[in-house]
Amino acid sequence: MRTCCINPSILSADFVNLEAELARVSAADAVHVDVMDNHFVPNLTIGLPVVERIQQVSSRPLDAHLMISEVDRWAPSFAEAGLESVTFHLEASAAPVKLARELRARGSKAGMALRPATPVESCLDMLPELDLLLLMTVEPGFGGQEFLDIMLPKIRKARAAVDGAGVDVAIQVDGGINGETIGRAAEAGANIFVAGSAVYGAEDPNTAVEQLREAAQRAHNGPDME
Ligand code: DX5
Ligand code: ZN
């Protein structure tokens, strides 16, 4: 049985009260932090100094998602800040294998993200260098978008490749994950689920985290186990 992790995205949190917002997701497996530079994506969020401070006050490990162009230059500093995982976009990196190795050398898990239009085949040879593969299920840049069901075959291909290669690489999905879509993503083979609006839009974010985890676990276990 595969373990399911729910990583709430603070993109949907109140940015003026981040410490309190972090406390509302104490049931999270990790907290997903979206870093955007208004260049790789048409939106701007927070940078290294703020992420370093979040790392100091968060009771849960941090999972950074870097949607930035100059990722080869910046990503190693996020790993140095002590984050559990640092994920960069393949489309933004000039030297992805080198970068993944630099992240691991700094004690962080190495994550590689793919935009919806990037074929999964483009990363498969690099799986041994990775701890996490992030498959975007919306165009990166904004929370609250609709889950792209056309990404389900890509998730299946990634799961088959990871299992076939016998590597320990988590498959993370990000974008449009909620109580209605998480089962399909889990059934296709994802095991880490980022959810922004579905968690912070709920009355009690921790309850939302628990419910999403149960839904994903049910989908993994299959109908026989219910
Ligand atoms: C979007 C970000 C996501 C975003 C997801 O580019 O990478 O992490 O917060 O938000 P929801 O879960 O609302 O789609
Ligand atoms: Zn994200």
Side-chain angles (χ1 to χ4, degrees):
M1 192 176 69
R2 211 171 282 142
T3 314
C4 298
C5 296
I6 306 296
N7 296 2
S9 165
I10 55 166
L11 187 61
S12 293
D14 177 356
F15 270 74
V16 176
N17 295 296
L18 276 182
E19 191 166 10
E21 293 285 74
L22 290 165
R24 295 172 79 207
V25 293
S26 54
D29 293 282
V31 171
H32 185 85
V33 180
D34 290 301
V35 176
M36 306 185 190
D37 65 353
N38 198 30
H39 191 259
F40 183 73
V41 288
N43 197 3
L44 186 64
T45 55
I46 54 175
L48 182 61
V50 178
V51 177
E52 284 173 334
R53 186 70 188 119
I54 294 171
Q55 167 71 19
Q56 287 167 1
V57 303
S58 176
S59 66
R60 307 306 299 143
L62 296 192
D63 155 37
H65 176 195
L66 305 181
M67 286 160 274
I68 59 176
S69 295
E70 287 198 56
V71 77
D72 297 287
R73 173 184 164 199
W74 284 101
S77 302
F78 285 84
E80 267 161 26
L83 275 63
E84 182 177 65
S85 61
V86 176
T87 299
F88 61 89
H89 271 264
L90 173 60
E91 304 89 349
S93 176
V97 172
K98 177 170 176 270
L99 183 54
R101 290 183 179 183
E102 283 175 1
L103 296 176
R104 281 178 163 180
R106 285 163 177 74
S108 161
K109 290 182 181 171
M112 184 181 283
L114 305 185
R115 285 179 180 273
T118 305
V120 73
E121 287 76 12
S122 57
C123 72
L124 298 184
D125 291 342
M126 292 179 271
L127 287 179
E129 304 289 340
L130 304 176
D131 302 293
L132 187 159
L133 178 62
L134 166 51
L135 301 178
M136 289 304 300
T137 43
V138 298
E139 287 296 344
F142 298 92
Q145 301 180 74
E146 201 177 319
F147 181 80
L148 293 172
D149 274 286
I150 53 169
M151 291 296 114
L152 290 171
K154 185 174 178 178
I155 301 170
R156 285 201 184 91
K157 276 190 216 166
R159 172 50 63 196
V162 165
D163 290 354
V167 288
D168 187 14
V169 179
I171 299 180
Q172 183 179 77
V173 283
D174 182 7
I177 296 295
N178 56 38
E180 194 265 317
T181 58
I182 196 168
R184 298 202 289 285
E187 185 274 325
N191 66 304
I192 303 183
F193 305 87
V194 175
S197 48
V199 169
Y200 277 104
E203 202 168 314
D204 178 9
N206 264 334
T207 304
V209 167
E210 305 284 9
Q211 287 171 346
L212 287 170
R213 196 184 283 118
E214 281 162 25
Q217 210 69 62
R218 264 200 309 277
H220 278 179
N221 293 344
D224 296 341
M225 305 281 289
E226 280 179 7

